[in-house]
Amino acid sequence: MDIIDYFALERLYRERRKVRQKVYVMAELGGLQREGKIIKEQDGRWLIEFFPYESPDRLEPSGRLYMGIRDFEIHPVDRQIFDEYVQALYDEYSGET
């Protein structure tokens, strides 16, 4: 499953990059659910820039971190398109059109 997800994310990333848009993700860091965007891919890991997190008692600055595909989730705003890429890959490899 991970390899299909990786190739689907790579396709989505390339398509978005052509039109200068980002792919948004969510990950748990330090007990907080953080949102960010993918900056680039290198050696199977994705560089993600996380947005600042503010709450009444805590302020987390933005930051960048390399993560594997198992370490984050595709943000709901991009999830439907990502799922379409995953299904297209399954169809390609199973011989369906």
Side-chain angles (χ1 to χ4, degrees), residues 6-16 85 88-89 92-93:
Y6 174 81
F7 285 119
L9 183 55
E10 185 180 45
R11 282 187 182 183
L12 177 59
Y13 175 73
R14 277 189 277 130
E15 290 297 319
R16 290 284 176 90
Y85 279 105
L89 283 168
E92 284 177 31
Y93 289 111

Side-chain angles (χ1 to χ4, degrees), residues 14-96:
R14 277 189 277 130
E15 290 297 319
R16 290 284 176 90
R17 192 169 173 194
K18 287 179 187 176
V19 293
R20 294 181 181 244
Q21 293 179 343
K22 298 290 182 188
V23 176
Y24 295 95
V25 298
M26 297 174 9
E28 187 170 323
L29 297 174
L32 298 173
Q33 189 71 18
R34 301 280 304 268
E35 296 180 351
K37 59 186 175 184
I38 294 177
I39 303 297
K40 70 178 182 175
E41 183 272 339
Q42 182 175 356
D43 300 326
R45 309 222 2 119
W46 301 90
L47 179 61
I48 300 172
E49 181 176 18
F50 289 97
F51 304 126
Y53 176 85
E54 291 184 48
S55 71
D57 59 336
R58 194 169 183 177
L59 172 65
E60 293 287 331
S62 63
R64 293 182 175 188
L65 183 64
Y66 276 100
M67 300 182 89
I69 197 161
R70 292 180 180 179
D71 301 327
F72 60 86
E73 295 286 326
I74 305 300
H75 197 281
V77 298
D78 291 330
R79 188 70 197 189
Q80 181 181 0
I81 297 166
F82 174 74
D83 289 340
E84 290 172 9
Y85 279 105
V86 168
Q87 189 58 50
L89 283 168
Y90 276 121
D91 292 346
E92 284 177 31
Y93 289 111
S94 67
E96 297 177 19

